Amino acid sequence: MDTSQMLSVEIRGCWQRCIRADFRTSSAFAESAMEYTDDLIERLGIECDYQRTGNVAMASSSAREVRGAKQAARVLRAAGSKAEYVDGREFGLPHVFQGGIFEKGGGLVNPGKYNTLAVRKALLDSGAKVFEHTPVLSVQSTGNGLVIGVPHGQIRAERALLATNAYSKDLPFAPPRLATPLWVSVAETEPIDPERIADTGWTSGAGITTNNNVVSNFRPTPHNSIVFGTRQVQPAQGPLGVRAPEPVIVKDLLRGFRDRFPSLRDIAPRRTWGGWVAMTPSFLPVAGQSDSRILYALGCNGYGLTQAPYLCSLLADRLMGDKPHEDLEAVWTNRTCFPPNLPYSPRAVRTLWAIDRVSDHISRLGH
């Protein structure tokens, strides 16, 4: 599952992140989350421009990158994954990409139509009490339960589930340093003649993420535009808040787009946006308890569209007393304190960007 207007960041690609963890369990969690979201879209009849195209990860532009992608594909297959390496020309990738790892499940959706409209409507229609535009100011545990402080009042509950992801950084009752907020930026081109897109070799319609430390992603939309983003990330400086992509970041995104699509160098960006994602050292979401009455699900690493609903459904079952699902056990921790997340410090992410640009240059030379 991916998005046609995507806010995501991958460090070393989605499959390399799984290799660093317990691979079989992490791979199973990711595929279960994708299947859950696919079923949710069908069950609720969500109209969100869903195209079941699959997605291509570790799209590679040189023989060196291809070797890495093929090796990752072999590890995936050995672990029982359905992902496979595909040849760029045969599969229908842009000419600059020699191949990549094809994930057959999922595809492209419009996240605005999915989250803001359809899922919200389903929640409001469910009969649950929903307090929108009501920020939580405090959570205190008492002998009888929790007292949740909100503007102009309090809410009392037996237990609570925190699903605040990147914004947990500013919450004193959330586990400190569990996830690092990173700002990612996205741009969308003006509409492009479909024949010009086809002439780039991109006939598969699948979303693409590159074989970099901090990946770039490219998504075709139903409006014949191309959404592209990430490439570099920005750690939070102080409290999180509303912001817009910086001009220097947008300029760098556009440079990356034109390097990958040289025949579309005349195409201008129509709009830009961005958002906060929460990154964890394991590259997997984390669930646990910060208090005997407070559960949390944080750090979806840019994959919150699929993983957050699935993970929270597993935690909801646990709240109701059900036996924990094995997928929940895969991301569960009993820790309440976490060390500094050094890989996402300002200096570290600048270094990763510089390494990627050198790697891109070497790939253009044919190495």
Side-chain angles (χ1 to χ4, degrees):
M1 184 69 57
D2 222 311
T3 67
S4 60
Q5 296 181 4
M6 185 179 184
L7 302 179
S8 80
V9 56
E10 295 179 66
I11 306 296
R12 261 302 174 194
C14 62
W15 298 124
Q16 284 140 311
R17 74 175 56 182
C18 290
I19 292 171
R20 292 182 56 180
D22 182 340
F23 190 80
R24 288 184 181 275
T25 56
S26 60
S27 178
F29 175 86
E31 293 192 357
S32 294
M34 184 172 58
E35 292 171 359
Y36 177 87
T37 305
D38 192 275
D39 176 71
L40 191 67
I41 291 173
E42 183 174 351
R43 178 159 43 88
L44 297 180
I46 297 175
E47 296 294 336
C48 55
D49 302 332
Y50 185 20
Q51 303 173 63
R52 290 176 170 82
T53 58
N55 294 281
V56 176
M58 295 184 72
S60 303
S61 303
S62 67
R64 169 179 53 86
E65 292 180 351
V66 165
R67 287 194 296 271
K70 286 183 175 179
Q71 180 182 7
R74 287 193 292 269
V75 174
L76 279 166
R77 300 294 290 183
S81 172
K82 301 174 184 177
E84 62 181 355
Y85 179 83
V86 293
D87 177 82
R89 291 298 178 92
E90 294 178 359
F91 184 77
L93 295 179
H95 295 317
V96 72
F97 296 116
Q98 297 180 24
I101 299 178
F102 177 51
E103 180 186 9
K104 297 181 180 180
L108 305 174
V109 303
N110 182 317
K113 292 182 178 180
Y114 171 76
N115 279 324
T116 308
L117 299 178
V119 174
R120 177 179 175 273
K121 182 179 184 302
L123 174 62
L124 295 176
D125 291 344
S126 69
K129 290 184 178 180
V130 180
F131 300 90
E132 297 185 287
H133 309 293
T134 308
V136 174
L137 305 177
S138 64
V139 177
Q140 295 181 337
S141 184
T142 68
N144 298 322
L146 297 173
V147 177
I148 301 170
V150 298
H152 313 298
Q154 296 178 335
I155 298 174
R156 296 185 179 274
E158 291 185 11
R159 306 183 77 180
L161 168 60
L162 303 181
T164 44
N165 213 31
Y167 292 90
S168 303
K169 170 183 176 294
D170 298 330
L171 302 179
F173 44 84
R177 298 187 300 273
L178 188 156
T180 300
L182 297 178
W183 176 268
V184 296
S185 299
V186 184
E188 181 182 14
T189 69
E190 60 191 1
I192 306 171
D193 185 333
E195 291 188 3
R196 293 193 63 184
I197 296 178
D199 287 344
T200 69
W202 199 4
T203 56
S204 65
I208 300 168
T209 53
T210 61
N211 194 346
N212 292 109
N213 289 293
V214 181
V215 304
S216 298
N217 56 74
F218 303 96
R219 310 284 182 258
T221 76
H223 317 295
N224 296 320
S225 62
I226 296 175
V227 171
F228 55 99
T230 309
R231 187 171 160 98
Q232 60 176 306
V233 296
Q234 298 171 281
Q237 303 291 327
L240 305 190
V242 178
R243 62 184 292 177
E246 297 178 9
V248 65
I249 301 295
V250 175
K251 184 177 180 180
D252 185 54
L253 281 177
L254 187 59
R255 184 183 303 115
F257 171 78
R258 289 171 174 168
D259 286 345
R260 305 292 186 177
F261 297 90
S263 65
L264 302 178
R265 295 185 66 86
D266 60 306
I267 301 298
R270 181 174 63 173
R271 56 177 176 164
T272 61
W273 65 96
W276 294 104
V277 298
M279 301 296 294
T280 63
S282 67
F283 302 105
L284 290 169
V286 179
Q289 288 184 252
S290 58
D291 179 272
S292 61
R293 297 180 180 274
I294 302 175
L295 278 73
Y296 61 81
L298 307 171
C300 288
N301 299 274
Y303 286 88
L305 187 143
T306 55
Q307 294 185 5
Y310 179 58
L311 179 55
C312 287
S313 73
L314 299 180
L315 282 168
D317 291 339
R318 182 181 177 115
L319 279 170
M320 297 302 294
D322 292 354
K323 181 181 177 180
H325 192 282
E326 60 181 7
D327 284 344
L328 179 59
E329 294 293 335
V331 298
W332 183 266
T333 181
N334 292 316
R335 299 174 61 182
T336 58
C337 186
F338 298 85
N341 207 340
L342 297 179
Y344 309 120
S345 67
R347 178 175 296 181
V349 297
R350 286 196 298 269
T351 300
L352 288 174
W353 177 87
I355 293 173
D356 282 338
R357 301 294 75 79
V358 172
S359 178
D360 289 345
H361 178 69
I362 294 174
S363 293
R364 285 194 293 272
L365 295 177
H367 301 293

